mmCIF file of all heavy atoms in Angstrom:
data_model
loop_
_atom_site.group_PDB
_atom_site.id
_atom_site.type_symbol
_atom_site.label_atom_id
_atom_site.label_comp_id
_atom_site.label_asym_id
_atom_site.label_seq_id
_atom_site.Cartn_x
_atom_site.Cartn_y
_atom_site.Cartn_z
ATOM 1 N N LEU A 23 59.482 -78.905 35.539
ATOM 2 C CA LEU A 23 59.903 -79.664 36.725
ATOM 3 C C LEU A 23 61.217 -80.387 36.436
ATOM 4 O O LEU A 23 62.096 -80.464 37.288
ATOM 5 C CB LEU A 23 58.827 -80.652 37.140
ATOM 6 C CG LEU A 23 57.506 -80.002 37.609
ATOM 7 C CD1 LEU A 23 56.461 -81.055 37.920
ATOM 8 C CD2 LEU A 23 57.750 -79.153 38.842
ATOM 9 N N ASN A 42 37.483 -76.473 29.489
ATOM 10 C CA ASN A 42 38.761 -75.891 29.112
ATOM 11 C C ASN A 42 39.741 -75.720 30.258
ATOM 12 O O ASN A 42 40.785 -75.119 30.089
ATOM 13 C CB ASN A 42 38.540 -74.526 28.457
ATOM 14 C CG ASN A 42 39.142 -74.501 27.087
ATOM 15 O OD1 ASN A 42 39.943 -75.394 26.763
ATOM 16 N ND2 ASN A 42 38.784 -73.535 26.290
ATOM 17 N N PHE A 48 50.382 -83.373 41.428
ATOM 18 C CA PHE A 48 51.755 -83.888 41.483
ATOM 19 C C PHE A 48 52.099 -84.337 42.878
ATOM 20 O O PHE A 48 51.717 -83.678 43.840
ATOM 21 C CB PHE A 48 52.778 -82.788 41.172
ATOM 22 C CG PHE A 48 52.769 -82.336 39.754
ATOM 23 C CD1 PHE A 48 52.001 -81.253 39.358
ATOM 24 C CD2 PHE A 48 53.560 -82.965 38.807
ATOM 25 C CE1 PHE A 48 52.007 -80.828 38.054
ATOM 26 C CE2 PHE A 48 53.571 -82.534 37.502
ATOM 27 C CZ PHE A 48 52.788 -81.472 37.110
ATOM 28 N N THR A 78 49.553 -80.184 50.773
ATOM 29 C CA THR A 78 50.105 -81.219 51.642
ATOM 30 C C THR A 78 49.598 -81.120 53.070
ATOM 31 O O THR A 78 49.285 -82.135 53.686
ATOM 32 C CB THR A 78 51.642 -81.106 51.669
ATOM 33 O OG1 THR A 78 52.086 -80.845 50.357
ATOM 34 C CG2 THR A 78 52.273 -82.362 52.217
ATOM 35 N N ARG A 85 43.698 -90.199 46.657
ATOM 36 C CA ARG A 85 43.344 -91.511 46.112
ATOM 37 C C ARG A 85 44.228 -91.894 44.924
ATOM 38 O O ARG A 85 44.598 -91.053 44.107
ATOM 39 C CB ARG A 85 41.885 -91.504 45.631
ATOM 40 C CG ARG A 85 40.850 -91.503 46.741
ATOM 41 C CD ARG A 85 40.889 -92.764 47.581
ATOM 42 N NE ARG A 85 39.917 -92.708 48.674
ATOM 43 C CZ ARG A 85 40.184 -92.243 49.899
ATOM 44 N NH1 ARG A 85 41.395 -91.825 50.216
ATOM 45 N NH2 ARG A 85 39.238 -92.197 50.815
ATOM 46 N N GLN A 166 50.638 -82.414 59.673
ATOM 47 C CA GLN A 166 51.050 -82.931 58.383
ATOM 48 C C GLN A 166 50.691 -84.402 58.289
ATOM 49 O O GLN A 166 50.844 -85.162 59.246
ATOM 50 C CB GLN A 166 52.557 -82.759 58.230
ATOM 51 C CG GLN A 166 52.968 -82.775 56.801
ATOM 52 C CD GLN A 166 54.420 -82.359 56.666
ATOM 53 O OE1 GLN A 166 54.955 -81.700 57.531
ATOM 54 N NE2 GLN A 166 55.027 -82.739 55.573
#
Side-chain angles (χ1 to χ4, degrees):
Chain A
L23 295 177
N42 237 345
F48 290 93
T78 318
R85 287 295 177 269
Q166 202 170 338

